Amino acid sequence: MAAAATKMVKDELLNYSDEDDTEDNFSNDGDWGDWEAGVEEDGDGSVSDFLCLFCDSHYVSCALLFEHCRLSHDFDFRGVTKELNLDFYASFKLINYVRSQVAENKAVDVKDVNFPWDDEKYLKPFWQEDSLLYSFADDEEEVEDEEEGLDREGLMEDLQKLGVLSIDDEAVGESSVSSNKDVTLISNCSDLKQSFEDEEPRVCEGRLAGRNIRKVNENYFGSYSSFGIHKEMISDKVRTEAYMDALLKNPSLLCGSVVMDVGCGTGILSLFAAQAGASRVIAVEASEKMAKVATKIAKDNKVFNDNEHNGVLEVAHSMVEELGKSIQIQPQSVDVLVSEWMGYCLLYESMLSSVLYARDRWLKPGGAILPDTATMFVAGFGKGATSLPFWEDVYGFNMSSIGKEVLEDTARIPVVDVIEDHDLVTGPALLKAFDLATMKPDEVDFTSTATLEPIESETEARLCHGVVLWFDTGFTDRFCKENPTVLSTSPYTPPTHWAQTVLTFQEPISLAPATLLSGAERRGSIGTEESPASSIHLRVSVARASEHRSIDVSLEATGVSSKGQKRCWPVQIFNL
């Protein structure tokens, strides 16, 4: 369902008035409304939004705040960062460290030779909307950092946008940082290091922006008022028939059950549930128009629950998080929770969080959730999946320069497209598996690793231009005992309206089976045509972005030779 609304207007975020959102400006750590209430306005109309590290004083600039800290609290932030030669990230950590220590009434010891703030956890803001974190370098003197070459302004924008993407361990590659609306490239930053050694993947935490959420929700739910979107989804036979089979061919699960359909749209899944013999079907729909449409359809099909129709289906115009305000329903009273929540790259539009809320609030202990598993896969794609072949021969003319430019553009933005299995140059690899019956809401954000191996039947090296992501959702025999089924969006199965999500490398990686690479010593960098890699190690992070209902996907690739030599490429961050 979530994948169909592809034209939600992002510019609405920029045009939406902050005055309408003050009540929504909350973080997980407290009520920012109270914080803002204590902010005074200066005579010139500017707002004092920089809070002291040690007390409740507010200042209109970082410079004034730091001068206050130096004079009143004997803490010279500029002096400390200069004396200890702290770069942007270390300074970022220091601020979060100080705030955490003060909050716990602990001493701040900047002379500790162990640098207690040099911990990856301090890359996560102690306060979710600490404006100091994104402004402290604005009024700092420009210093050329030859080792890192950091673009401080771009980095601050990236961190503010992404909510600080925490990446750890070792990284290899040339130092480069750039900022773009759709993609950010980061490599070899001393406090953003990674490795593919044996380790537990760190979670990449995305932050839902406090502001503009309501406006984004209005756009999101409003976008589903288009009947064309619902026609596209219902016409997707892979999608619709997987749900139909799960609901109609498992009578022991559905007969006599109370069913909740989260995000019902036209109500097609609710109609299946009613047809299967459910005793009560609660169709939840946040779009006002579609809630009316679903009601009319239920009445037309004589399954609506009122005196005239005496059916079992009721429609609630509500977000599921506010359902208790719309209908009479007891907590943990639902037997079966069904939802078609999946988006591009599985998690786009972040509807899974609402489904998990419904599970925890309304589903009975041991109740069924459909689907109950979701699995993400990844594979490498070759030249055939790009536009290069088309531009190389246009009615006999060579226009490959256009193809190369198009490919460069796709390395900055994710592409949703149908990829043919014969255009893959590696086998598939498992990226992430979710158990929807037991997972925690914060597990929606994750970091996982995978290894791509070339297809063994290959007789020569091939260029891997990037990776393809797709997902399967399972209606397993845990709940669907008579007829378990799988909904797959794989390149190896018939295409769906989700297609696949394509992430293009900054430069292609030459890849060949290890059996072809034995023998003579090879010269050149790993992953080049002179020295193909025998495998590609990936580290992929998916996190909810600062823009509500969007996600950020970070991609790191390391080419590994048949002799174990490694070459790392800069991490790419795509916004979807």
Side-chain angles (χ1 to χ4, degrees):
M1 173 181 179
T6 61
K7 296 183 179 179
M8 183 172 63
V9 182
K10 295 184 178 180
D11 291 341
E12 290 289 345
L13 289 173
L14 302 176
N15 299 327
Y16 189 57
S17 170
D18 289 343
E19 296 176 358
D20 295 335
D21 288 301
T22 53
E23 65 186 68
D24 294 332
N25 192 22
F26 295 91
S27 77
N28 293 332
D29 299 322
D31 185 341
W32 276 89
D34 291 342
W35 184 88
E36 289 185 342
V39 177
E40 297 181 357
E41 195 170 89
D42 293 335
D44 61 358
S46 61
V47 178
S48 306
D49 59 352
F50 296 106
L51 181 65
C52 174
L53 294 168
F54 299 92
C55 66
D56 295 330
S57 300
H58 298 270
Y59 294 89
V60 296
S61 73
C62 298
L64 292 175
L65 183 151
F66 290 139
E67 183 66 8
H68 161 76
C69 289
R70 185 179 69 84
L71 297 176
S72 300
H73 303 290
D74 196 28
F75 178 74
D76 185 359
F77 178 82
R78 294 298 186 208
V80 169
T81 56
K82 184 175 181 180
E83 179 181 352
L84 299 179
N85 195 28
L86 302 184
D87 63 10
F88 174 85
Y89 290 100
S91 301
F92 193 98
K93 291 179 181 180
L94 178 60
I95 292 173
N96 288 314
Y97 165 73
V98 172
R99 292 226 188 265
S100 66
Q101 293 295 101
V102 171
E104 298 176 8
N105 293 317
K106 294 181 180 180
V108 177
D109 184 6
V110 296
K111 297 182 180 180
D112 190 333
V113 295
N114 294 319
F115 286 17
W117 60 86
D118 192 22
D119 189 303
E120 296 299 310
K121 68 181 181 181
Y122 294 119
L123 275 175
K124 179 182 178 182
F126 182 74
W127 289 345
Q128 293 284 37
E129 303 247 353
D130 187 353
S131 55
L132 179 61
L133 291 173
Y134 312 116
S135 304
F136 72 87
D138 285 350
D139 57 351
E140 186 178 10
E141 293 183 0
E142 294 184 1
V143 178
E144 182 177 356
D145 189 332
E146 296 181 357
E147 179 181 358
E148 300 292 346
L150 295 179
D151 174 0
R152 294 176 181 273
E153 182 178 353
L155 286 171
M156 286 188 289
E157 290 176 357
D158 295 338
L159 288 172
Q160 188 172 21
K161 175 184 176 184
L162 300 177
V164 182
L165 182 64
S166 178
I167 310 173
D168 53 6
D169 298 323
E170 297 180 359
V172 180
E174 294 182 356
S175 171
S176 67
V177 180
S178 66
S179 176
N180 182 278
K181 179 179 179 181
D182 298 300
V183 63
T184 304
L185 307 179
I186 304 176
S187 70
N188 201 30
C189 296
S190 59
D191 292 302
L192 289 183
K193 297 181 178 179
Q194 25 255 323
S195 162
F196 293 101
E197 304 294 334
D198 295 334
E199 63 173 28
E200 288 293 324
R202 290 181 65 92
V203 171
C204 173
E205 294 195 352
R207 295 183 295 122
L208 294 178
R211 293 183 175 183
N212 303 321
I213 289 179
R214 185 173 62 222
K215 189 64 176 181
V216 174
N217 282 339
E218 289 175 0
N219 288 332
Y220 169 64
F221 296 123
S223 68
Y224 281 96
S225 297
S226 167
F227 293 140
I229 291 174
H230 293 281
K231 180 182 178 182
E232 179 185 11
M233 292 188 293
I234 294 173
S235 299
D236 184 343
K237 295 183 65 175
V238 174
R239 164 199 180 269
T240 305
E241 292 182 5
Y243 278 89
M244 181 177 68
D245 289 349
L247 292 168
L248 295 182
K249 296 182 179 180
N250 290 284
S252 66
L253 176 64
L254 271 296
C255 189
S257 295
V258 176
V259 179
M260 179 180 290
D261 177 7
V262 178
C264 72
T266 60
I268 182 67
L269 303 188
S270 297
L271 294 171
F272 287 149
Q275 185 179 357
S279 62
R280 182 186 183 189
V281 180
I282 305 163
V284 185
E285 177 53 52
S287 165
E288 181 179 4
K289 177 179 178 179
M290 292 312 301
K292 293 179 180 179
V293 169
T295 299
K296 180 67 166 59
I297 291 174
K299 290 180 178 179
D300 290 346
N301 288 275
K302 298 179 173 52
V303 294
F304 192 71
N305 181 17
D306 61 6
N307 293 332
E308 179 182 352
H309 302 88
N310 197 29
V312 297
L313 198 158
E314 55 193 280
V315 179
H317 171 220
S318 171
M319 293 179 61
V320 73
E321 292 85 353
E322 302 172 356
L323 184 60
K325 301 177 183 179
S326 302
I327 64 171
Q328 294 292 325
I329 182 172
Q330 294 297 318
Q332 298 185 335
S333 60
V334 171
D335 298 299
V336 179
L337 179 65
V338 63
S339 179
E340 197 276 79
W341 53 266
M342 299 82 74
Y344 299 130
C345 199
L346 183 66
L347 299 174
Y348 173 58
E349 292 180 348
S350 303
M351 189 177 166
L352 178 55
S353 298
S354 295
V355 175
L356 298 181
Y357 176 91
R359 179 201 66 185
D360 295 340
R361 176 67 174 167
W362 308 116
L363 191 63
K364 290 180 179 179
I369 182 170
L370 302 179
D372 61 304
T373 65
T375 311
M376 296 180 69
F377 297 91
V378 61
F381 67 87
K383 181 179 178 179
T386 72
S387 63
L388 289 175
F390 173 84
W391 292 108
E392 287 176 348
D393 185 3
V394 181
Y395 291 95
F397 297 102
N398 181 359
M399 297 187 181
S400 58
S401 59
I402 296 179
K404 292 177 182 178
E405 185 172 335
V406 170
L407 198 62
E408 290 175 359
D409 290 339
T410 59
R412 294 192 293 268
I413 57 174
V415 175
V416 176
D417 199 2
V418 174
I419 303 299
E420 303 290 343
D421 61 337
H422 58 75
D423 288 325
L424 300 179
V425 296
T426 77
L430 172 67
L431 184 63
K432 181 68 175 180
F434 296 100
D435 184 336
L436 303 178
T438 61
M439 70 176 291
K440 298 178 181 178
D442 61 3
E443 292 174 356
V444 172
D445 301 329
F446 70 89
T447 297
S448 292
T449 59
T451 299
L452 300 182
E453 303 283 354
I455 298 173
E456 283 298 325
S457 60
E458 292 290 348
T459 58
E460 61 182 7
R462 297 184 65 183
L463 290 179
C464 179
H465 284 267
V467 297
V468 180
L469 301 176
W470 71 88
F471 64 87
D472 291 354
T473 54
F475 304 80
T476 73
D477 59 7
R478 171 168 46 181
F479 301 123
C480 297
K481 299 188 182 303
E482 290 96 342
N483 188 68
T485 189
V486 174
L487 192 170
S488 178
T489 65
S490 165
Y492 303 97
T493 58
T496 69
H497 78 283
W498 285 285
Q500 289 86 37
T501 301
V502 179
L503 306 178
T504 303
F505 292 149
Q506 281 284 305
E507 62 176 282
I509 301 174
S510 182
L511 190 66
T515 53
L516 296 180
L517 300 177
S518 58
E521 186 73 20
R522 294 179 179 269
R523 299 184 180 276
S525 300
I526 304 300
T528 60
E529 293 183 4
E530 294 78 15
S531 184
S534 62
S535 63
I536 301 175
H537 290 189
L538 297 176
R539 188 182 184 92
V540 179
S541 297
V542 178
R544 289 162 290 182
S546 57
E547 182 178 317
H548 190 38
R549 297 196 180 278
S550 296
I551 60 173
D552 291 310
V553 182
S554 75
L555 172 66
E556 305 165 60
T558 298
V560 182
S561 73
S562 58
K563 297 182 179 180
Q565 299 167 308
K566 296 181 180 180
R567 178 190 174 194
C568 300
W569 280 264
V571 58
Q572 296 171 252
I573 302 177
F574 301 84
N575 177 257
L576 183 64

